[in-house]
Amino acid sequence: MEKRFIPFALPDIGEEEINEVVSTLRSGWVTTGPKTKEFEQKFAEYVNANVEAIAVNSATAGLHLALEACGITDGDEVIIPTLTFTATGEIVRYLGADPVFVDCDPNTLCIDIKQIESKITSRTKAIIPVHMAGLACDMEAILAIAKKHNLRVIEDAAHTCPSKINNVYIGQHASDAIVYSFYATKTITTGEGGMIVTSNPEIAKRCKVMRLHGINRDAFDRYTSKKPSWYYEVVAPGYKYNLTDIASSLGLCQLAKADRFQARREAMAERYFAELSDLPLILPPKVKNPATDLHSWHLFCCQLNTDKISRDEFIQQMSDHGVGTSVHFIPLHLQPYWKERYQLSPTDFPAASQYYKNAISLPLYTKMSDEDQSYVIAVIRQILA
Ligand SMILES: *Cc1c(COP(=O)(O)O)cnc(C)c1O
Protein backbone atom coordinates (compact mmCIF):
# COMPACT_ATOMS: atom_id res chain seq x y z
CA MET A 1 0.00 0.00 0.00
CA GLU A 2 1.58 3.28 -1.09
CA LYS A 3 1.78 5.82 1.72
CA ARG A 4 -0.51 8.84 1.48
CA PHE A 5 -0.76 11.95 3.61
CA ILE A 6 -4.32 12.58 4.75
CA PRO A 7 -4.63 15.55 7.13
CA PHE A 8 -7.41 15.42 9.74
CA ALA A 9 -9.29 18.28 8.07
CA LEU A 10 -9.03 20.56 5.04
CA PRO A 11 -11.28 23.39 3.85
CA ASP A 12 -12.95 22.95 0.44
CA ILE A 13 -12.18 26.24 -1.32
CA GLY A 14 -12.94 26.43 -5.06
CA GLU A 15 -12.23 28.91 -7.85
CA GLU A 16 -15.63 30.53 -7.10
CA GLU A 17 -14.45 31.48 -3.61
CA ILE A 18 -11.12 32.77 -4.93
CA ASN A 19 -12.84 34.87 -7.63
CA GLU A 20 -15.36 36.27 -5.14
CA VAL A 21 -12.65 37.26 -2.67
CA VAL A 22 -10.59 38.88 -5.45
CA SER A 23 -13.64 40.79 -6.64
CA THR A 24 -14.30 42.01 -3.09
CA LEU A 25 -10.67 43.11 -2.79
CA ARG A 26 -10.96 45.00 -6.10
CA SER A 27 -14.21 46.64 -4.98
CA GLY A 28 -12.39 48.62 -2.31
CA TRP A 29 -14.89 47.58 0.41
CA VAL A 30 -13.05 45.02 2.51
CA THR A 31 -14.64 45.33 5.96
CA THR A 32 -18.31 44.82 6.91
CA GLY A 33 -20.46 46.05 4.01
CA PRO A 34 -22.65 44.84 1.14
CA LYS A 35 -21.21 41.30 0.97
CA THR A 36 -21.81 40.76 4.68
CA LYS A 37 -25.38 42.05 4.35
CA GLU A 38 -25.95 39.64 1.46
CA PHE A 39 -24.39 36.75 3.40
CA GLU A 40 -26.69 37.47 6.35
CA GLN A 41 -29.77 37.57 4.10
CA LYS A 42 -28.83 34.36 2.29
CA PHE A 43 -28.03 32.60 5.56
CA ALA A 44 -31.36 33.63 7.09
CA GLU A 45 -33.15 32.31 3.98
CA TYR A 46 -31.13 29.11 4.18
CA VAL A 47 -32.16 28.23 7.74
CA ASN A 48 -35.54 29.90 8.00
CA ALA A 49 -37.08 32.90 6.25
CA ASN A 50 -38.47 34.24 9.54
CA VAL A 51 -35.20 34.83 11.36
CA GLU A 52 -32.55 37.49 11.38
CA ALA A 53 -28.95 36.46 10.80
CA ILE A 54 -26.13 38.51 12.29
CA ALA A 55 -22.60 37.85 11.00
CA VAL A 56 -19.73 37.86 13.50
CA ASN A 57 -16.03 37.06 13.36
CA SER A 58 -16.36 33.74 15.27
CA ALA A 59 -18.93 31.51 16.89
CA THR A 60 -17.28 32.33 20.20
CA ALA A 61 -18.07 36.01 19.61
CA GLY A 62 -21.61 35.10 18.54
CA LEU A 63 -22.25 33.02 21.65
CA HIS A 64 -20.90 35.85 23.81
CA LEU A 65 -23.18 38.40 22.13
CA ALA A 66 -26.22 36.11 22.33
CA LEU A 67 -25.73 35.46 26.06
CA GLU A 68 -25.16 39.18 26.69
CA ALA A 69 -28.32 40.04 24.76
CA CYS A 70 -30.22 37.52 26.93
CA GLY A 71 -29.10 39.49 29.98
CA ILE A 72 -26.82 36.83 31.45
CA THR A 73 -24.68 38.50 34.09
CA ASP A 74 -22.58 38.18 37.24
CA GLY A 75 -23.63 35.32 39.49
CA ASP A 76 -26.01 33.66 36.99
CA GLU A 77 -25.67 29.97 36.15
CA VAL A 78 -25.74 28.55 32.63
CA ILE A 79 -26.12 24.83 31.95
CA ILE A 80 -23.70 23.40 29.37
CA PRO A 81 -22.46 19.91 28.42
CA THR A 82 -19.00 18.86 29.62
CA LEU A 83 -18.38 17.23 26.23
CA THR A 84 -17.78 20.37 24.15
CA PHE A 85 -15.11 22.84 23.11
CA THR A 86 -14.01 25.26 25.82
CA ALA A 87 -15.63 28.20 23.93
CA THR A 88 -19.07 27.00 25.13
CA GLY A 89 -17.93 27.58 28.72
CA GLU A 90 -15.59 30.55 28.38
CA ILE A 91 -18.30 32.88 27.06
CA VAL A 92 -20.28 32.23 30.25
CA ARG A 93 -17.25 33.36 32.26
CA TYR A 94 -16.82 36.48 30.04
CA LEU A 95 -20.08 37.72 31.60
CA GLY A 96 -19.13 36.78 35.16
CA ALA A 97 -21.62 33.89 35.19
CA ASP A 98 -20.84 30.27 36.06
CA PRO A 99 -21.27 27.26 33.77
CA VAL A 100 -22.89 24.21 35.33
CA PHE A 101 -21.67 21.05 33.61
CA VAL A 102 -23.85 18.11 32.55
CA ASP A 103 -22.63 14.67 31.43
CA CYS A 104 -23.27 13.41 27.90
CA ASP A 105 -25.81 10.83 26.86
CA PRO A 106 -23.64 7.90 25.67
CA ASN A 107 -26.18 7.16 22.93
CA THR A 108 -25.95 10.60 21.30
CA LEU A 109 -22.81 12.21 22.83
CA CYS A 110 -25.02 15.31 23.26
CA ILE A 111 -26.01 16.73 26.67
CA ASP A 112 -27.89 14.14 28.76
CA ILE A 113 -31.32 15.77 28.81
CA LYS A 114 -32.48 13.57 31.71
CA GLN A 115 -29.89 15.21 33.98
CA ILE A 116 -30.63 18.85 33.13
CA GLU A 117 -33.43 19.46 35.64
CA SER A 118 -31.38 18.18 38.60
CA LYS A 119 -28.81 20.92 37.83
CA ILE A 120 -31.29 23.80 37.83
CA THR A 121 -31.07 26.19 40.82
CA SER A 122 -32.54 29.60 41.60
CA ARG A 123 -29.49 31.11 39.84
CA THR A 124 -29.93 29.18 36.57
CA LYS A 125 -30.72 31.49 33.64
CA ALA A 126 -29.94 29.57 30.45
CA ILE A 127 -29.08 26.29 28.73
CA ILE A 128 -26.53 25.99 25.93
CA PRO A 129 -27.06 22.68 24.11
CA VAL A 130 -24.30 21.59 21.70
CA HIS A 131 -25.25 19.54 18.63
CA MET A 132 -22.30 17.22 18.96
CA ALA A 133 -20.58 16.37 15.64
CA GLY A 134 -23.68 17.62 13.79
CA LEU A 135 -26.20 15.27 15.41
CA ALA A 136 -29.06 17.53 16.50
CA CYS A 137 -30.10 17.49 20.17
CA ASP A 138 -33.74 16.77 20.98
CA MET A 139 -34.66 20.47 20.94
CA GLU A 140 -38.33 19.89 21.76
CA ALA A 141 -37.35 18.25 25.04
CA ILE A 142 -34.80 20.95 25.88
CA LEU A 143 -37.20 23.79 25.03
CA ALA A 144 -39.89 22.16 27.19
CA ILE A 145 -37.53 22.11 30.20
CA ALA A 146 -36.51 25.71 29.49
CA LYS A 147 -40.13 26.83 29.28
CA LYS A 148 -41.05 25.08 32.53
CA HIS A 149 -38.19 26.77 34.42
CA ASN A 150 -38.22 30.08 32.51
CA LEU A 151 -34.73 29.63 31.08
CA ARG A 152 -33.15 31.05 27.93
CA VAL A 153 -31.84 28.66 25.27
CA ILE A 154 -28.82 29.53 23.14
CA GLU A 155 -27.84 26.72 20.78
CA ASP A 156 -24.15 26.12 20.12
CA ALA A 157 -24.73 25.14 16.49
CA ALA A 158 -21.04 25.26 15.54
CA HIS A 159 -21.34 21.79 13.97
CA THR A 160 -24.73 22.06 12.28
CA CYS A 161 -24.65 23.61 8.87
CA PRO A 162 -26.94 21.83 8.05
CA SER A 163 -28.63 19.51 10.60
CA LYS A 164 -32.28 18.68 11.12
CA ILE A 165 -34.45 16.81 13.65
CA ASN A 166 -38.13 15.82 13.24
CA ASN A 167 -38.21 17.76 9.95
CA VAL A 168 -37.10 20.97 11.70
CA TYR A 169 -33.70 22.39 10.73
CA ILE A 170 -31.37 23.61 13.44
CA GLY A 171 -31.96 27.35 13.24
CA GLN A 172 -35.76 26.98 13.11
CA HIS A 173 -36.52 26.11 16.74
CA ALA A 174 -37.92 28.61 19.22
CA SER A 175 -34.58 29.09 20.97
CA ASP A 176 -33.44 32.61 21.85
CA ALA A 177 -30.45 32.32 19.52
CA ILE A 178 -28.63 29.75 17.43
CA VAL A 179 -24.94 30.30 16.75
CA TYR A 180 -22.95 28.78 13.84
CA SER A 181 -19.19 28.59 13.29
CA PHE A 182 -17.33 29.08 10.02
CA TYR A 183 -13.94 28.18 11.46
CA ALA A 184 -11.48 26.56 9.01
CA THR A 185 -12.41 22.96 9.91
CA LYS A 186 -16.20 23.37 10.08
CA THR A 187 -18.69 22.21 7.42
CA ILE A 188 -18.55 25.59 5.66
CA THR A 189 -15.82 28.13 6.33
CA THR A 190 -14.93 31.80 6.06
CA GLY A 191 -11.47 31.18 7.58
CA GLU A 192 -12.73 32.60 10.84
CA GLY A 193 -16.37 33.57 11.24
CA GLY A 194 -19.75 32.85 12.73
CA MET A 195 -23.46 33.64 12.49
CA ILE A 196 -26.11 34.39 15.11
CA VAL A 197 -29.64 33.46 14.10
CA THR A 198 -32.62 34.69 16.09
CA SER A 199 -36.33 35.32 15.65
CA ASN A 200 -36.35 37.73 18.59
CA PRO A 201 -36.02 41.34 17.29
CA GLU A 202 -34.71 42.63 20.62
CA ILE A 203 -31.93 40.06 20.76
CA ALA A 204 -31.09 40.82 17.11
CA LYS A 205 -30.93 44.55 17.81
CA ARG A 206 -28.73 44.17 20.88
CA CYS A 207 -26.36 41.76 19.10
CA LYS A 208 -25.99 44.19 16.19
CA VAL A 209 -25.20 47.10 18.48
CA MET A 210 -22.77 45.13 20.67
CA ARG A 211 -21.08 43.54 17.64
CA LEU A 212 -19.60 46.91 16.75
CA HIS A 213 -18.48 48.98 19.76
CA GLY A 214 -21.99 49.56 21.11
CA ILE A 215 -22.64 51.93 18.20
CA ASN A 216 -26.25 52.18 17.13
CA ARG A 217 -25.62 52.11 13.35
CA ASP A 218 -23.16 49.90 11.52
CA ALA A 219 -20.49 51.21 9.16
CA PHE A 220 -22.48 50.28 6.06
CA ASP A 221 -25.57 52.23 7.12
CA ARG A 222 -23.37 55.11 8.17
CA TYR A 223 -22.19 55.61 4.61
CA THR A 224 -25.44 54.89 2.80
CA SER A 225 -28.17 56.47 4.93
CA LYS A 226 -29.21 60.11 4.70
CA LYS A 227 -27.95 61.18 8.13
CA PRO A 228 -24.52 62.84 8.10
CA SER A 229 -21.93 60.09 7.66
CA TRP A 230 -19.76 61.25 10.55
CA TYR A 231 -22.53 60.92 13.15
CA TYR A 232 -22.99 57.93 15.45
CA GLU A 233 -24.08 57.22 19.00
CA VAL A 234 -22.40 54.94 21.52
CA VAL A 235 -25.00 53.33 23.76
CA ALA A 236 -22.87 50.67 25.51
CA PRO A 237 -19.25 49.52 25.82
CA GLY A 238 -19.56 47.04 22.95
CA TYR A 239 -17.14 44.67 21.27
CA LYS A 240 -15.31 44.39 17.93
CA TYR A 241 -16.92 41.25 16.56
CA ASN A 242 -17.97 42.23 13.02
CA LEU A 243 -17.28 39.98 10.00
CA THR A 244 -15.35 41.39 7.03
CA ASP A 245 -16.69 41.47 3.46
CA ILE A 246 -13.62 39.42 2.46
CA ALA A 247 -14.81 36.63 4.77
CA SER A 248 -18.46 37.08 3.74
CA SER A 249 -17.64 36.63 0.06
CA LEU A 250 -16.08 33.29 0.98
CA GLY A 251 -19.17 32.50 3.05
CA LEU A 252 -21.59 33.25 0.20
CA CYS A 253 -19.84 30.70 -2.05
CA GLN A 254 -19.58 28.13 0.74
CA LEU A 255 -23.24 28.49 1.73
CA ALA A 256 -24.29 27.77 -1.86
CA LYS A 257 -22.41 24.46 -1.56
CA ALA A 258 -23.56 23.52 1.96
CA ASP A 259 -26.14 20.92 0.86
CA ARG A 260 -23.74 19.32 -1.63
CA PHE A 261 -21.03 19.22 1.06
CA GLN A 262 -23.46 17.57 3.50
CA ALA A 263 -24.44 14.91 0.94
CA ARG A 264 -20.79 14.10 0.27
CA ARG A 265 -19.99 13.93 4.01
CA GLU A 266 -22.97 11.65 4.60
CA ALA A 267 -21.89 9.31 1.78
CA MET A 268 -18.40 9.16 3.28
CA ALA A 269 -19.82 8.48 6.74
CA GLU A 270 -21.96 5.66 5.30
CA ARG A 271 -18.84 4.17 3.75
CA TYR A 272 -17.03 4.18 7.12
CA PHE A 273 -20.07 2.43 8.64
CA ALA A 274 -20.10 -0.18 5.88
CA GLU A 275 -16.38 -0.90 5.93
CA LEU A 276 -15.44 -0.55 9.61
CA SER A 277 -18.40 -2.15 11.38
CA ASP A 278 -16.68 -5.53 11.92
CA LEU A 279 -13.73 -3.93 13.76
CA PRO A 280 -13.35 -3.34 17.54
CA LEU A 281 -14.51 0.23 17.09
CA ILE A 282 -17.68 1.86 18.40
CA LEU A 283 -18.92 3.93 15.47
CA PRO A 284 -20.64 7.32 15.97
CA PRO A 285 -24.29 7.69 16.94
CA LYS A 286 -26.60 8.10 13.95
CA VAL A 287 -29.84 10.07 13.58
CA LYS A 288 -32.92 8.42 15.11
CA ASN A 289 -35.03 8.70 11.98
CA PRO A 290 -33.29 9.12 8.58
CA ALA A 291 -36.61 10.16 6.98
CA THR A 292 -36.99 13.26 9.17
CA ASP A 293 -33.50 13.92 10.57
CA LEU A 294 -30.29 15.15 8.97
CA HIS A 295 -26.74 14.79 10.34
CA SER A 296 -24.21 17.34 9.08
CA TRP A 297 -21.38 14.84 9.68
CA HIS A 298 -19.01 17.62 10.72
CA LEU A 299 -17.16 15.00 12.78
CA PHE A 300 -16.92 11.21 12.77
CA CYS A 301 -16.38 10.43 16.47
CA CYS A 302 -15.49 6.79 17.23
CA GLN A 303 -14.35 4.91 20.31
CA LEU A 304 -11.74 2.16 20.31
CA ASN A 305 -13.20 -1.01 21.78
CA THR A 306 -10.19 -3.27 22.39
CA ASP A 307 -7.54 -3.97 25.03
CA LYS A 308 -4.95 -4.75 22.36
CA ILE A 309 -4.05 -1.16 21.61
CA SER A 310 -4.48 2.10 23.49
CA ARG A 311 -6.12 5.14 21.94
CA ASP A 312 -2.85 7.09 22.07
CA GLU A 313 -0.94 4.26 20.39
CA PHE A 314 -3.66 3.98 17.72
CA ILE A 315 -3.39 7.71 16.97
CA GLN A 316 0.41 7.38 16.78
CA GLN A 317 0.23 4.48 14.35
CA MET A 318 -2.32 6.32 12.19
CA SER A 319 0.03 9.28 12.13
CA ASP A 320 2.99 7.01 11.23
CA HIS A 321 0.93 5.96 8.21
CA GLY A 322 0.29 9.61 7.31
CA VAL A 323 -3.32 9.77 8.52
CA GLY A 324 -4.40 12.66 10.76
CA THR A 325 -6.95 11.98 13.49
CA SER A 326 -8.19 13.98 16.47
CA VAL A 327 -10.16 13.76 19.73
CA HIS A 328 -13.49 15.59 20.20
CA PHE A 329 -13.43 16.65 22.84
CA ILE A 330 -11.27 16.51 25.94
CA PRO A 331 -14.25 17.01 28.28
CA LEU A 332 -14.19 20.33 30.10
CA HIS A 333 -14.26 18.61 33.51
CA LEU A 334 -10.75 17.30 32.73
CA GLN A 335 -9.31 20.69 31.73
CA PRO A 336 -7.22 22.33 34.49
CA TYR A 337 -9.09 25.64 34.56
CA TRP A 338 -12.61 24.20 34.70
CA LYS A 339 -11.66 21.27 36.93
CA GLU A 340 -9.98 23.44 39.54
CA ARG A 341 -12.36 26.37 39.50
CA TYR A 342 -15.48 24.21 39.85
CA GLN A 343 -13.97 21.23 41.74
CA LEU A 344 -15.06 18.79 39.04
CA SER A 345 -14.32 15.08 39.23
CA PRO A 346 -14.41 12.40 36.48
CA THR A 347 -16.78 10.35 38.65
CA ASP A 348 -19.39 13.14 38.28
CA PHE A 349 -19.31 12.62 34.50
CA PRO A 350 -18.98 8.87 33.95
CA ALA A 351 -20.28 8.82 30.36
CA ALA A 352 -18.05 11.61 29.02
CA SER A 353 -15.05 10.28 31.00
CA GLN A 354 -15.54 6.80 29.55
CA TYR A 355 -16.05 8.16 26.01
CA TYR A 356 -12.92 10.30 26.23
CA LYS A 357 -10.68 7.37 27.24
CA ASN A 358 -11.17 5.70 23.85
CA ALA A 359 -12.29 8.62 21.68
CA ILE A 360 -10.88 9.11 18.23
CA SER A 361 -12.25 11.25 15.38
CA LEU A 362 -11.51 9.97 11.88
CA PRO A 363 -10.84 12.35 8.96
CA LEU A 364 -14.06 13.19 7.09
CA TYR A 365 -14.21 16.13 4.70
CA THR A 366 -15.25 16.84 1.13
CA LYS A 367 -11.69 17.31 -0.13
CA MET A 368 -10.95 13.65 0.66
CA SER A 369 -11.17 11.47 -2.45
CA ASP A 370 -12.63 7.95 -2.51
CA GLU A 371 -9.03 6.70 -2.84
CA ASP A 372 -8.01 8.72 0.24
CA GLN A 373 -10.83 7.14 2.19
CA SER A 374 -9.90 3.65 0.92
CA TYR A 375 -6.40 4.31 2.26
CA VAL A 376 -7.68 5.48 5.67
CA ILE A 377 -9.90 2.38 5.93
CA ALA A 378 -7.03 0.07 4.89
CA VAL A 379 -4.70 1.61 7.51
CA ILE A 380 -7.33 1.23 10.26
CA ARG A 381 -7.97 -2.39 9.25
CA GLN A 382 -4.23 -3.11 9.30
CA ILE A 383 -3.76 -1.56 12.77
CA LEU A 384 -6.80 -3.28 14.31
CA ALA A 385 -6.41 -6.63 12.54
C1 LIG B 1 -15.57 25.36 16.81
C2 LIG B 1 -16.48 25.41 17.98
C3 LIG B 1 -16.79 26.61 18.64
C4 LIG B 1 -16.07 27.90 18.35
O1 LIG B 1 -16.16 28.32 17.05
P1 LIG B 1 -15.28 29.57 16.58
O2 LIG B 1 -15.94 30.02 15.32
O3 LIG B 1 -13.89 29.03 16.34
O4 LIG B 1 -15.30 30.58 17.65
C5 LIG B 1 -17.74 26.61 19.63
N1 LIG B 1 -18.34 25.46 20.01
C6 LIG B 1 -18.05 24.28 19.44
C7 LIG B 1 -18.76 23.05 19.90
C8 LIG B 1 -17.09 24.21 18.42
O5 LIG B 1 -16.77 23.03 17.89
Side-chain angles (χ1 to χ4, degrees), residues 323-348:
V323 180
T325 55
S326 192
V327 171
H328 295 90
F329 292 95
I330 305 170
L332 298 186
H333 71 263
L334 297 177
Q335 293 289 5
Y337 170 75
W338 299 114
K339 183 174 130 187
E340 282 154 32
R341 177 165 180 104
Y342 295 102
Q343 302 290 303
L344 307 172
S345 149
T347 54
D348 300 331

Side-chain angles (χ1 to χ4, degrees), residues 58-60 63 84-85 87-88 130 156 158-159 181 183 186 192-193 329:
S58 71
T60 307
L63 288 164
T84 185
F85 185 55
T88 318
V130 178
D156 181 335
H159 301 178
S181 173
Y183 178 66
K186 300 282 157 66
E192 300 280 359
F329 292 95

